[in-house]
Amino acid sequence: MKVLTLNFLTCAVKTCKSSADSFPLHPKDAELAHDDIEINPELLANVLPRIDWTALRTTSTELGFPELPAQPPTVEELEADEALLKELHSLLLETQMMEGKLVCGCCGHEYAVREGIANFLLPSHLV
Amino acid sequence: MASTSSSLPSASAAPAVARLAAGAPEAETNGIANANADAEAYERANVHSVYEAIAPHFSATRYKPWPAVAQFLNTLPRGSVGLDVGCGNGKYLGVNPGVFMVGSDRSAALVALARDRLKEEGGVLPTGTGVKNAVRDETSDVTNTTATSGSRSSKEGITDVLVADGLSLPFRDGAADFAICIAVIHHMSTRARRQDAIRQLLKCVTAGEAGKAAGKVMVMVWALEQGSSRRGWDEGGEQDLLVPWVLKTPQQKQPRQPKQSRKQKKGAAAQHGQEGSDAVVVAHHANKSGEPPVPGPVPGPAQDQDQQEPAAPATDAGGGVSHTDPVFQRYYHLYRKGELEEDVLAAGGLVLESGYEKDNWWTVATNNGPTLSEEQ
Ligand SMILES: [Zn+2]
């Protein structure tokens, strides 16, 4: 599971979705791995506007990465700043959460991540 | 990363053919909650557990994208964020390298396959004969493709996969620019659930508000009208069926009976699975007594070996059917003409485009904003 993916995920429990506490999910006991992926500045710039930056900052901090700037870079800023490009590429695309849990801040449910795959199937009482 | 082993079910753990444990979903019950729980249990037995059991085999016959779906994906703006709900082995995830796609599936076994294959192929699934021995076998070369090492090509898209139920998706509302749901919704056993599945998809994409392009959802389902196929299904026929998947076991060096070789394709694809063989058809919704559906005879000439399902255009999945090959039954609701559009409207969506492609209906719809809030 990529950090980028985490930015689009919330709790699968329907009643949690309207709560601000359900996003982003909070990593717990996370084991991270690093994939080597060739950098693609264009794709990164294109996806940037779709990212919830505030949530990304939270996730980044919770995973132990250095704090991200308060405001997202503009596409122009990103394209001009090679160091920032590399940092975001590394965080969003190359960092994988391999093991651990994703915890909903609303209902407290913990979703398991195993071998890099998060499982959002709910126990029957939560469906 | 050392995550090569997947947790596929062993053959011995596979459910038996006739395991139609749960009652028919639309049978009389004590209320909506019960009906929904029944439908869920029914789908668990007649869809989910089957895919867990046949996952590697199924995956090996699923590598060609439907042209209509590929075209939809290839016309998306670069940098779009999309979902593939019911992604199976992930064959659509790498179609457009300019977008970021997250695939989800109810089957952990299929998701693990999708992850492994995307990793090995660098985002591009093998075409043609890449996967030989579909059946899990320690001694077989499950894939003859070579894992690439080191840095991957920048021409790939970004993809990820996870396990989720189509009716309880973990995607935040409006998160995506598009979503596809191919050959999935016809596995849901009540109309309310099929419409709810479409509603969940629509909620995942951006609403068409001022200054914002409305997200698009493409849905494709198996059609009732299959006049050009040899399955024998067509307008006016039964829409709720159990369709067999014959799990081909590796051919042993034993003499074949003439009956088996009659339909045998020339060697090549003999170890692929296919479905539709000896198509047993079950009309479970005709049964209102709450009894589990019971297999019935085949109405019409549904005996050919070349049958495909929506997810598999033009695969050559021939092969003789041995009496020892396990057969799994999967529930299908075959959509009649116009029904998919009706379901999109009922879910609060707006139909942009519709079409028919070789035994399938498809539609592209948008999130129509306020109407979606009428969720049940
Ligand atoms: Zn929750």
Side-chain angles (χ1 to χ4, degrees), chain A residues 1-2 5 7-10 12 14 17 23 33 35 38 40 42-43 46 50 93 98 115 118 120-121, chain B residues 1 5 78-79 98 106 115 151-152 154 158-160 162-163 167-172 175 177 206 375:
Chain A
M1 154 122 346
K2 293 181 191 298
T5 306
N7 199 256
F8 296 94
L9 298 178
T10 181
K14 281 199 178 72
K17 288 203 173 176
F23 175 76
D35 260 351
E38 197 175 313
N40 183 340
E42 190 196 350
L43 186 56
N46 283 331
R50 307 294 294 128
L93 304 182
M98 296 304 293
E115 296 184 359
F120 288 91
L121 297 183
Chain B
M1 234 149 307
S5 69
R78 300 181 69 82
R106 185 72 177 61
R115 190 266 321 268
S151 192
R152 294 200 254 141
S154 61
I158 317 164
T159 60
D160 212 340
L162 51 87
V163 178
L167 294 177
S168 295
L169 291 171
F171 306 115
R172 61 178 159 91
D177 299 298
T206 46
E375 192 175 346

Side-chain angles (χ1 to χ4, degrees), chain A residues 59-80:
Chain A
T59 302
S60 170
T61 306
E62 288 178 353
L63 289 175
F65 289 92
E67 194 171 344
L68 290 172
Q71 295 301 319
T74 63
V75 170
E76 294 72 30
E77 284 166 351
L78 182 68
E79 283 169 342

